[in-house]
């Protein structure tokens, strides 16, 4: 039985499924072992055998209701021939952006470069049978930010660099939207049966620019995914009360909330969208008693609403695997 589909599509609220953003990653010793031997992160994401192994690592350890394919949102700039490099203790670093070159990249060229990603999905699907395998992409805005800023915008982002270059930015944004649609379509064809769209930097947008750069471009991607009869989860991180506008305009099948969103508030405001996530990943670094209290808060609030347990952002690298195991135990034993 596919519990995630049941929760998103049938809006069944009797069972709370669980998975974790960044569940396949640096907090797992078995991942770090593979990573040590594979210094080039992009190459690792293009190795179907290792992608399969890493994707399945958390599902072997924990009683999870989904796997998420091991890849990265920056595989799209890579597919568009912008150089992407992951530097130790720095994060991603992207190369210069040549708009004419990027605009002229054909679908065939893009798909060909990312073929090993789809091959990895095919391999995972073979072992997972009918279970949930989540494919994903960055949202148009977040990819635009990385491609123009060429590194994480955490400390140094100026919105004017985007709004002052409208003609350039509009062309690039359109190419990014088309590439996301193509990339998720190929993932679905290969066996992904849910798609999540990560808009990690939506919170950088001033309110008056949300429509142009977040809602409208994401809506195009969401409509494409819906045509492919696949449930779509959106995560517009950091947009505070605008989660409500996001849901009424973009209408994703499921919305992942971040830890700044009050779960009781959003439950009251949203009627038709399954909710996912919310708990602060830093809770997992604290003692058991506090973890239990926080997990139960979300379970209590959503006991009568279709809800998928997850976090308000990805699992932090310093998380102990035992903390994940403990969350799942609390969840499975929880009585409404
Ligand atoms: O969720 C999963 O387990 C699947 C794999 C996955 C990765 N990245 C693997 C990864 C997913 C879904 C992502 C999404 C992603 N990548 C996002 C959106 C979610 C978010 O966290 O906001 C973003 C913004 C990126 C871009 C990116 N990739 C950054 C900024 C970094 C460096 C710092 C960091 O957050 O880890 C990466 C590297 C990356 N992507 C690692 C992993 C396991 C770490 C690689 C390493 O250094 O060993």
């Amino acid at each position: 039985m596919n519990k995630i589909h049941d929760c998103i599509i049938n809006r069944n609220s009797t069972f709370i499924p669980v998975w974790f953003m960044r569940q396949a990653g640096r907090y797992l010793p078995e991942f770090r072992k593979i990573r040590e031997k594979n210094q080039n992160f992009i190459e690792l994401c293009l190795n179907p055998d290792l992608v399969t192994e890493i994707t399945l690592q958390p599902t072997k350890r924990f009683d999870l209701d989904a796997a998420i394919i091991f890849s990265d949102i920056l595989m799209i700039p890579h597919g568009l021939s912008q150089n992407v490099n992951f530097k130790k203790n720095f994060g991603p670093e992207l190369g210069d952006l040549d708009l004419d070159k990027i605009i002229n990249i054909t679908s065939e060229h893009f798909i060909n470069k990312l073929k090993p990603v789809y091959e990895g999905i095919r391999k995972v699907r073979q072992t997972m049978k009918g279970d949930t395998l989540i494919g994903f992409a960055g949202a148009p805005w977040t990819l635009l930010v990385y491609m123009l800023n060429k590194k994480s915008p955490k400390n140094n982002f100026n919105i004017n660099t985007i709004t002052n270059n409208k003609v350039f930015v509009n062309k690039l944004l359109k190419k990014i939207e088309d590439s996301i649609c193509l990339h998720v379509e190929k993932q679905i064809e290969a066996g992904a049966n849910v798609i999540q769209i990560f808009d990690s930097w939506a919170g950088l947008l001033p309110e008056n620019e949300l429509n142009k750069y977040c809602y409208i471009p994401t809506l195009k991607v969401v409509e494409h995914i819906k045509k492919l009869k696949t449930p779509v989860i959106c995560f517009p991180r950091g947009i505070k009360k605008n989660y409500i506008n996001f849901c009424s305009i973009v209408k994703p099948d499921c919305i992942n909330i971040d830890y700044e969103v009050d779960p009781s508030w959003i439950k009251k405001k949203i009627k038709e969208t399954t909710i996912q996530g919310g708990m602060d990943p830093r809770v997992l670094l604290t003692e058991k008693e506090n973890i239990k209290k926080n997990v139960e808060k979300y379970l209590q609030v959503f006991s009568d609403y279709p809800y998928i347990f997850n976090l308000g952002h990805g699992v932090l690298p310093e998380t102990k695997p035992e903390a994940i195991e403990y969350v799942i135990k609390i969840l499975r034993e929880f009585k409404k």
Side-chain angles (χ1 to χ4, degrees), residues 22-24 26 35 41 71-73 86 136 146 200 313:
R22 300 292 190 102
Q23 66 188 23
R26 286 177 294 179
R35 181 76 170 100
F41 185 74
S71 189
D72 200 86
I73 64 164
F86 286 83
F136 69 90
Y146 276 109
S200 305
H313 202 188

Side-chain angles (χ1 to χ4, degrees), residues 19-26 31 35 41 68-74 86 91-92 136 142 146 152 198 200-201 235 237 313-314:
W19 69 280
F20 295 82
M21 293 187 278
R22 300 292 190 102
Q23 66 188 23
R26 286 177 294 179
F31 169 75
R35 181 76 170 100
F41 185 74
I68 178 161
I69 195 71
F70 177 76
S71 189
D72 200 86
I73 64 164
L74 299 179
F86 286 83
F136 69 90
T142 286
Y146 276 109
S152 166
F198 289 92
S200 305
W201 298 108
F235 183 24
R237 186 167 74 92
H313 202 188

Side-chain angles (χ1 to χ4, degrees), residues 269-280:
K269 294 275 184 180
I270 284 180
K271 295 273 171 305
E272 284 150 24
T273 315
T274 292
I275 296 174
Q276 169 175 284
M279 193 175 87
D280 192 332

Side-chain angles (χ1 to χ4, degrees), residues 31-42:
F31 169 75
R32 287 200 300 269
K33 213 168 140 190
I34 294 181
R35 181 76 170 100
E36 256 164 47
K37 287 189 237 148
N38 296 270
Q39 291 294 320
N40 185 322
F41 185 74
I42 294 283

